Amino acid sequence: MLTILPRHFAIITTDQQQEGFKLEVYLDNNATTRVDDEVLDTMRLIYIYDYGNPNSLHRKGSDAAQHMEDSRRILAKLLGVKSKEIFFTSGATESINWVMRSVARLASEKRNKLIIGAVEHKAVLKTAHDIARIHNLDIAILPVDEKGVYLLDELEKKLDETVLLVALMSANNEVGTLQPVEEISKLVRSKAPRAFLLVDAVQSFGKSKMDLKAWNPDFLVLSAHKFHGPKGIGLLYAREGRIPFPLITGGEQERGFRAGTQNVPGIVGMARAAELAVKDLEKNIEKMRKFQKLIAEKVETLGGVIITPLNNSLPNTITASFPGILGHHLLNALSLEKIYVSTHSACSSSESTSHVLEAMGIKGKIALGAIRISTSRMTTEEEISFFLETLEKVLKFLGFDR
């Protein structure tokens, strides 16, 4: 029988075992999060007992379907929308592709402009360029200021009757900047009332307050693995009547708009993770904000540069730079100490520079030295203390000169 163990267990030597394990500190929660134990326990029951195909007509199938629809109702209630407006997907990237590729088919000579933000996730940026090529669409890039906030006066200039879709995020995944979604929505509705509004809320859920009534989007996307749920499951909120075409065709699952047998354990896990994410939201925000402040103070003491706008950001995110030290060198050095941070988005980690920092006007040594530190509600004070102590030691080892 093959037993799969975490990779770091497999490479521990006898000497290392005798010395004991170092504290492992995971500070890359904007990339993904650890699955909550309660979520895992809930999913395990589905995998073992109610594993039927939710589209089968027998009892086993109807039990699975009931779990799925209960989860749909839970998620809809948490978001303040109708159950029939929630569609299950494999994650935000699929949801974004579904919306953008579907809406693009409605383009005409008089309605052929996409407005996308300069600091959007690559799922939006690359998909926009692909559908623009296929459907002969025009792309208008919305710039940001030095803090990463979208410029509303520039948005107003770009909005007109030719706009087909506006795709903007609620919170930036790399630097944590919060966007004025309510103001953006009001502008879109007044200046381009026929345009669709897609909001990428992947980083917001469970880390900041979300008000879909005020945001008034046509579409909104979430991924469960960003709030201690399982990977490979996400949702698309689509206001009733807004989805024009399916992305995946085949069976009649998801009311005929998303073919393929639904991932019931993942769906149930996402619903439970969502409940836990909002359970003590204020308390968790306060805790993460405290850690953010401690990290920022230490970075400044050590001579680093804070890039994240601390007065307008997700509470769990801080992007900082130590000019003269390459960010990936610092990342690797910390990783050897079992402390895990990132340089920028995990989906773009092979690239040497960040398009987000570039859009903010941050270049040169500051951009190259940037690392992203992202906590979660599961992060502990002990982990933060160990990280701050180790950061100072590692910087000295790398020869950082403040």
Side-chain angles (χ1 to χ4, degrees):
M1 182 177 69
L2 175 65
T3 301
I4 299 176
L5 295 173
R7 189 170 182 272
H8 65 277
F9 285 162
I11 60 174
I12 294 295
T13 66
T14 303
D15 290 341
Q16 288 172 319
Q17 289 175 346
Q18 291 174 350
E19 291 173 5
F21 294 110
K22 285 184 179 179
L23 180 66
E24 188 172 64
V25 181
Y26 182 76
L27 297 174
D28 195 17
N29 288 279
N30 282 8
T32 197
T33 57
R34 179 175 78 80
V35 177
D36 190 289
D37 290 343
E38 286 191 43
V39 172
L40 202 57
D41 290 343
T42 302
M43 292 175 64
R44 185 173 181 273
L45 294 175
I46 304 298
Y47 275 118
I48 294 174
Y49 299 108
D50 292 333
Y51 50 81
N53 188 319
N55 305 289
S56 296
L57 298 179
H58 50 65
R59 175 65 181 272
K60 208 73 171 172
S62 64
D63 285 347
Q66 187 63 55
H67 286 302
M68 181 173 70
E69 295 309 319
D70 286 346
S71 297
R72 198 188 307 271
R73 282 188 287 273
I74 288 169
L75 290 161
K77 184 177 181 181
L78 290 175
L79 293 175
V81 300
K82 302 174 185 175
S83 293
K84 61 184 176 181
E85 296 175 318
I86 298 294
F87 295 86
F88 296 120
T89 69
S90 64
T93 293
E94 181 193 323
S95 299
I96 287 167
N97 271 265
W98 182 3
V99 171
M100 297 184 72
R101 294 184 186 281
S102 180
V103 167
R105 293 169 63 181
L106 299 175
S108 64
E109 288 186 6
K110 294 182 179 180
R111 195 164 166 234
N112 64 350
K113 183 162 70 173
L114 305 175
I115 297 178
I116 59 174
V119 297
E120 292 300 303
H121 190 277
K122 289 298 179 70
V124 169
L125 294 171
K126 289 192 174 182
T127 304
H129 286 288
D130 192 39
I131 62 175
R133 176 182 56 81
I134 295 170
H135 297 279
N136 194 30
L137 306 177
D138 294 328
I139 297 178
I141 303 294
L142 182 62
V144 295
D145 63 17
E146 69 280 359
K147 295 182 178 180
V149 180
Y150 285 124
L151 299 173
L152 298 186
D153 56 340
E154 290 297 321
L155 174 60
E156 189 169 7
K157 292 175 186 176
K158 297 177 188 301
L159 289 168
D160 55 37
E161 68 279 359
T162 68
V163 177
L164 177 63
L165 174 72
V166 179
L168 299 172
M169 55 177 39
S170 57
N172 186 261
N173 53 307
E174 291 192 24
V175 298
T177 302
L178 296 174
Q179 301 295 347
V181 182
E182 184 174 351
E183 290 81 356
I184 287 169
S185 179
K186 287 178 180 178
L187 275 176
V188 172
R189 300 308 177 202
S190 64
K191 299 295 181 178
R194 295 182 64 205
F196 293 100
L197 175 61
L198 166 62
V199 175
D200 172 358
V202 167
Q203 294 295 338
S204 293
F205 192 82
K207 293 180 282 189
S208 66
K209 293 181 179 179
M210 290 173 49
D211 187 347
L212 264 67
K213 186 175 181 180
W215 288 5
N216 193 24
D218 296 291
F219 307 102
L220 181 137
V221 303
L222 296 179
S223 280
H225 75 105
K226 302 293 188 178
F227 49 89
H228 300 288
K231 295 176 179 63
I233 185 70
L235 68 78
L236 167 65
Y237 157 72
R239 190 186 300 178
E240 190 174 356
R242 289 300 195 272
I243 297 181
F245 305 103
L247 176 65
I248 301 173
T249 53
E252 295 303 310
Q253 293 90 348
E254 296 302 292
R255 299 187 289 288
F257 281 105
R258 202 273 187 181
T261 302
Q262 293 98 330
N263 175 7
V264 179
I267 289 167
V268 172
M270 175 167 59
R272 185 64 187 130
E275 289 181 309
L276 293 170
V278 301
K279 183 180 178 183
D280 294 308
L281 184 59
E282 292 283 359
K283 180 181 177 181
N284 291 331
I285 288 175
E286 183 180 351
K287 174 185 173 181
M288 291 185 286
R289 190 69 77 186
K290 174 186 174 183
F291 292 160
Q292 184 189 50
K293 182 179 178 181
L294 287 172
I295 295 168
E297 289 174 349
K298 186 67 171 183
V299 167
E300 290 179 332
T301 298
L302 294 174
V305 176
I306 305 297
I307 296 172
T308 294
L310 299 180
N311 62 345
N312 180 45
S313 69
L314 292 169
N316 79 312
T317 306
I318 182 161
T319 295
S321 177
F322 296 91
I325 300 292
L326 293 177
H328 65 273
H329 287 173
L330 180 53
L331 179 155
N332 290 334
L334 288 170
S335 184
L336 290 173
E337 300 295 328
K338 294 189 176 182
I339 296 173
Y340 309 114
V341 299
S342 64
T343 47
H344 43 92
S345 171
C347 299
S348 307
S349 59
S350 62
E351 300 175 6
S352 59
T353 58
S354 161
H355 72 282
V356 173
L357 298 185
E358 185 176 347
M360 294 168 64
I362 297 171
K363 301 177 182 179
K365 290 184 177 181
I366 294 180
L368 291 172
I371 60 167
R372 180 187 67 186
I373 305 148
S374 49
T375 63
S376 83
R377 60 184 170 85
M378 293 186 180
T379 305
T380 67
E381 290 190 17
E382 181 186 13
E383 290 171 337
I384 294 299
S385 296
F386 180 67
F387 163 65
L388 296 179
E389 291 172 7
T390 307
L391 176 64
E392 183 170 4
K393 294 176 183 176
V394 166
L395 286 170
K396 288 181 179 177
F397 173 78
L398 292 174
F400 177 65
D401 184 3
R402 69 181 70 178

